[in-house]
Amino acid sequence: MSKLILWDIDGTLLSIGYLGAEVFDRAFVAALGIKPPSRVKMSGKTDPQIVSEYLDMLGFDKSDYPKTIEAVLASLQHELAMASDEIKEAASLKVNAREILEYFAGEEEIIQTVLTGNIIQNAKLKLELFSLLSYFDFDCGAFGSDDIDRTKLVTVAAERVYAKHNIRPEAKNTWIIGDSPNDFACARASGIRCILVATGRFDYDELSLLGADLVCHDLSDQEISDFVTA
């Protein structure tokens, strides 16, 4: 019996602090010569969605969105890479993140990858900076660069798992682990299971109201590993 875990990154496994929003400002300045006057809420959104919301704020013509989003995302990749040293100073791993990833990586029946709003290059960079990449079957991941709509990313990951492993884990054996209502919405849209941890911008009480299969204060909760491996 194969199981698939789809991990969110930002807010769930790690935080890059102020740089999470700052690199978008830098990307807009580099690509368009404009700094957004304020910041959009980012939790659980894809990078293309975040850029699109900034373009709405700035009053851009929607007919220009595809090429403009592409330009800003290219700058976002560059700006994040340039900020690697800053990230090392500002960023932190969530409690027990490495330990739980290592545990699941050692379970033969589990395929562990990422489902994240980050474009693929930025997801890889963040995981590499924390030496987490080796815990994931990264080729099977799904990213903001695959689709602006996060709810479509479960299908992307599932197809990559099948292409690489010739395995289709059942919905009841497929999990999203994240920290936001958008992670929950993504899971429910695909009929899979969801574990939420109060390690990001949403507290335990807020997350508990959503109806996820399990809600925990952080990744140190033994219920997470027990629930997935049961």
Side-chain angles (χ1 to χ4, degrees):
M1 177 178 62
S2 296
K3 297 185 178 184
L4 174 62
I5 300 176
L6 303 168
W7 281 96
D8 175 53
I9 296 177
D10 295 286
T12 301
L13 292 172
L14 57 87
S15 169
I16 64 169
Y18 71 93
L19 285 165
E22 175 70 19
V23 290
F24 278 89
D25 287 350
R26 297 178 189 180
F28 268 87
V29 171
L32 305 177
I34 302 170
K35 180 180 177 179
S38 59
R39 288 173 171 167
V40 303
K41 295 180 179 179
M42 298 183 180
S43 297
K45 297 178 181 177
T46 65
D47 286 350
Q49 180 183 357
I50 293 167
V51 174
S52 178
E53 291 183 13
Y54 272 127
L55 295 179
D56 290 343
M57 179 192 298
L58 292 165
F60 271 68
D61 188 327
K62 288 188 181 294
S63 65
D64 293 331
Y65 275 28
K67 66 179 182 182
T68 307
I69 290 173
E70 183 178 353
V72 175
L73 291 177
S75 290
L76 184 67
Q77 178 187 346
H78 175 74
E79 294 299 330
L80 192 72
M82 292 295 292
S84 292
D85 289 340
E86 290 179 81
I87 292 172
K88 291 175 183 177
E89 292 293 325
S92 59
L93 270 181
K94 298 300 181 179
V95 173
N96 208 52
R98 188 180 307 280
E99 290 80 1
I100 196 168
L101 290 174
E102 185 173 4
Y103 172 78
F104 283 134
E107 295 291 306
E108 291 186 2
E109 77 276 13
I110 291 177
I111 297 170
Q112 179 170 237
T113 190
V114 293
L115 189 152
T116 173
N118 287 279
I119 57 175
I120 186 170
Q121 300 91 340
N122 288 356
K124 186 175 183 181
L125 175 64
K126 289 176 182 180
L127 296 175
E128 285 177 333
L129 287 174
F130 283 94
S131 301
L132 298 179
L133 190 61
S134 63
Y135 297 119
F136 297 98
D137 193 336
F138 195 76
D139 294 339
C140 296
F143 309 91
S145 39
D146 292 313
D147 203 295
I148 192 172
D149 183 353
R150 192 184 186 106
T151 65
K152 296 181 179 179
L153 296 184
V154 172
T155 298
V156 173
E159 290 303 317
R160 287 177 175 158
V161 168
Y162 181 72
K164 183 173 182 179
H165 299 287
N166 197 33
I167 292 171
R168 291 193 185 276
E170 296 179 39
K172 67 179 182 179
N173 291 322
T174 303
W175 304 81
I176 281 178
I177 303 180
D179 69 299
S180 75
N182 282 337
D183 293 297
F184 172 73
C186 183
R188 283 298 176 262
S190 299
I192 65 172
R193 306 179 81 179
C194 182
I195 295 173
L196 295 176
V197 288
T199 49
R201 296 187 181 278
F202 298 90
D203 65 30
Y204 180 86
D205 291 337
E206 290 176 295
L207 295 177
S208 295
L209 296 174
L210 297 174
D213 297 277
L214 179 66
V215 180
C216 298
H217 289 283
D218 59 41
L219 294 172
S220 66
D221 195 318
Q222 183 66 37
E223 279 192 89
I224 297 174
S225 55
D226 291 346
F227 206 22
V228 173
T229 56

